[in-house]
Amino acid sequence: MDSQQRTAASPRSPPRQGHDSTAILFTLLSFFAIVALVLLPSASPFFQNSLSILHQVPEGHVGVYWRGGALLKTITEPGFHLKMPFLTQYEPVQVTLQTDMVTDIPCGTKGGVMISFGKIEVVNRLRKEFVFETLLNYGVHYDKTWIYDKIHHEINQFCSFHSLQQVYIDVFDQIDEKMKDALQVDCTRYAPGIEILSVRVTKPTIPESIRRNFEQMEEERTKVLIAIEKQKVAEKEAETMKKMAISEAEKNANVSKILMEQKLLEKDSARRQEEIENAMYLAREKSLADADFYR
């Protein structure tokens, strides 16, 4: 009975709730740190972005952030930045010149021939002041909507209004500018932050039989052009020879004229000399006759 009273009367130790909470929090943080160190090297880029606290925005990009799936208005410049792990996701978005390459674009011409453009390159840029608005409306892969899918649509529209001859030869040199203008018009209207600088279109792939026909036509056209050029060269040579002959004849005529004038001058000079001599002879004879008369 006394022992029970002593036990009941002994003071109880105070609860250590604050210390226990700190220990639990420290344990959880240690656990998350270990998990991050173990899983981060082999994790997907999205999971790495979720786990990382310190991240780097490369030059030529800006950093955009999502929290709970909602796009934040925070836009960071190149350099190192901090974010909340697990809650905030980060993605770098390029704001310098970039080239999107659209490949394997099939289309049907006005005559029903199926051709394919192997590669179309679109040089574009997302303006920094429109990053938030563009990503809010069209997501990180905004270029899929306004470049990749749009190129497919515009190429098919162009082919459907032109024949194979026009697409492959006649107006092929105009496709670049037409694609650039078509992309820029819609981007200016619906996504003003996207700037289309240039479009480069490669020669389309056409059916082999038609390609051989085009090559034969090109060979015949080349032969005709060569014949025309040869004819022009021959005409030029004949014209040159004619000019040379005329020049030679004119030169000979001028030489003959000069020689004739020279002979005429010589004869005229001789005639004048003879006249002078005759006048002197007459004057001398007259003097002699007068002297005889006076004598």
Side-chain angles (χ1 to χ4, degrees), residues 146-284:
W146 292 111
I147 294 179
Y148 289 90
D149 295 345
K150 188 66 177 173
I151 279 290
H152 278 267
H153 172 73
E154 292 298 334
I155 283 292
N156 278 274
Q157 287 287 104
F158 181 83
C159 290
S160 64
F161 286 100
H162 294 82
S163 64
L164 179 61
Q165 172 75 20
Q166 292 173 322
V167 175
Y168 195 69
I169 296 178
D170 295 344
V171 297
F172 175 76
D173 58 336
Q174 304 175 16
I175 299 180
D176 296 350
E177 288 299 322
K178 288 183 179 295
M179 292 299 106
K180 176 181 177 296
D181 294 340
L183 291 177
Q184 189 61 70
V185 166
D186 284 345
C187 286
T188 302
R189 182 177 180 182
Y190 299 106
I194 303 174
E195 184 180 2
I196 307 298
L197 300 178
S198 65
V199 176
R200 296 187 292 267
V201 181
T202 59
K203 203 76 170 176
T205 303
I206 63 176
E208 185 64 23
S209 59
I210 300 177
R211 186 183 64 81
R212 285 197 299 269
N213 291 336
F214 274 115
E215 289 178 351
Q216 292 175 359
M217 290 172 57
E218 192 64 27
E219 289 178 0
E220 294 298 327
R221 187 181 293 109
T222 303
K223 290 179 181 178
V224 172
L225 292 175
I226 291 174
I228 293 174
E229 290 299 322
K230 286 183 177 180
Q231 183 179 357
K232 289 181 179 179
V233 170
E235 292 176 354
K236 286 290 184 182
E237 290 178 351
E239 185 178 355
T240 302
M241 292 180 66
K242 180 181 178 181
K243 289 181 178 179
M244 291 176 62
I246 293 174
S247 177
E248 187 70 21
E250 289 177 349
K251 184 182 72 173
N252 293 333
N254 291 330
V255 170
S256 298
K257 182 179 179 181
I258 292 172
L259 292 174
M260 183 63 69
E261 290 177 352
Q262 183 178 359
K263 288 180 180 180
L264 291 174
L265 288 174
E266 290 177 354
K267 288 184 177 182
D268 186 65
S269 177
R271 181 181 59 79
R272 289 181 180 179
Q273 185 177 357
E274 186 177 356
E275 288 178 352
I276 293 171
E277 289 178 352
N278 291 336
M280 291 174 63
Y281 177 76
L282 289 173
R284 186 172 60 252

Side-chain angles (χ1 to χ4, degrees), residues 35-36 39-40 42-52 83 86 89:
V35 170
L39 297 180
L40 194 58
S42 61
S44 64
F46 179 79
F47 192 61
Q48 290 180 1
N49 288 339
S50 299
L51 288 177
S52 63
K83 69 176 185 64
F86 297 104
Q89 286 77 40

